[in-house]
Amino acid sequence: MVRRVIVLLLLGIVLGLQPYEADFLMFDQDGDQMLKYDELRAQFPSQNPYNTADFVAQFFLDYDSNGDKIIEFKEYSAKREQQKLELEQQQQSISSMYHDDL
C-alpha cells in the first residue's frame, strides 16, 4: 500500500495529474475513475481498530454528492476543494483573532 502511494504521487508529479487525482487513484483499484463502496471497503483490513464500516459509510455520505453509491473523481475533487477552502477560512479566522489580540 505504501509503495502504491509513493508511485502514484511520483506519477502525479511526472504526468502532471490534476489536484487530488493521485490520492483518488490510490483508492480506485480498477482505474475506472469511480469509487464503489465495495472497492473502498476492501482496502481496509478487517482487524482495523476503527469501525471500518462506519468510516466507509460516512466517507460515502460526505463525498457521494449525487447519491448514486459511486464517487466519481469530480465529486471527490469538489469535496476536497471545499475542505481545503474551509480549512483556509478557519486558519484565517484564527490568525485574525491572534493578531487582534496583539
Side-chain angles (χ1 to χ4, degrees):
M1 180 74 165
V2 173
R3 181 176 290 164
R4 181 176 166 81
V5 170
I6 293 169
V7 168
L8 287 171
L9 291 174
L10 290 174
L11 279 174
I13 293 168
V14 171
L15 299 176
L17 296 178
Q18 298 178 40
Y20 314 119
E21 192 170 5
D23 54 322
F24 181 84
L25 291 173
M26 178 179 64
F27 295 112
D28 182 17
Q29 296 292 298
D30 60 8
D32 65 356
Q33 294 289 308
M34 296 183 284
L35 293 178
K36 294 161 277 308
Y37 181 88
D38 292 336
E39 182 178 32
L40 187 60
R41 176 71 176 92
Q43 295 182 47
F44 295 95
S46 60
Q47 68 273 19
N48 191 330
Y50 303 103
N51 188 335
T52 304
D54 286 348
F55 171 79
V56 174
Q58 186 62 49
F59 187 87
F60 268 78
L61 284 174
D62 291 343
Y63 285 83
D64 183 19
S65 61
N66 63 6
D68 65 355
K69 307 291 187 214
I70 295 172
I71 300 172
E72 298 169 18
F73 176 69
K74 64 182 179 180
E75 292 174 302
Y76 181 80
S77 62
K79 180 65 175 179
R80 291 291 309 272
E81 192 61 31
Q82 176 190 355
Q83 291 171 332
K84 178 184 168 191
L85 292 173
E86 289 171 357
L87 180 60
E88 289 171 353
Q89 289 173 345
Q90 290 174 352
Q91 289 171 336
Q92 288 175 350
S93 177
I94 290 169
S95 178
S96 68
M97 289 186 330
Y98 175 75
H99 289 295
D100 289 346
D101 288 344
L102 293 178

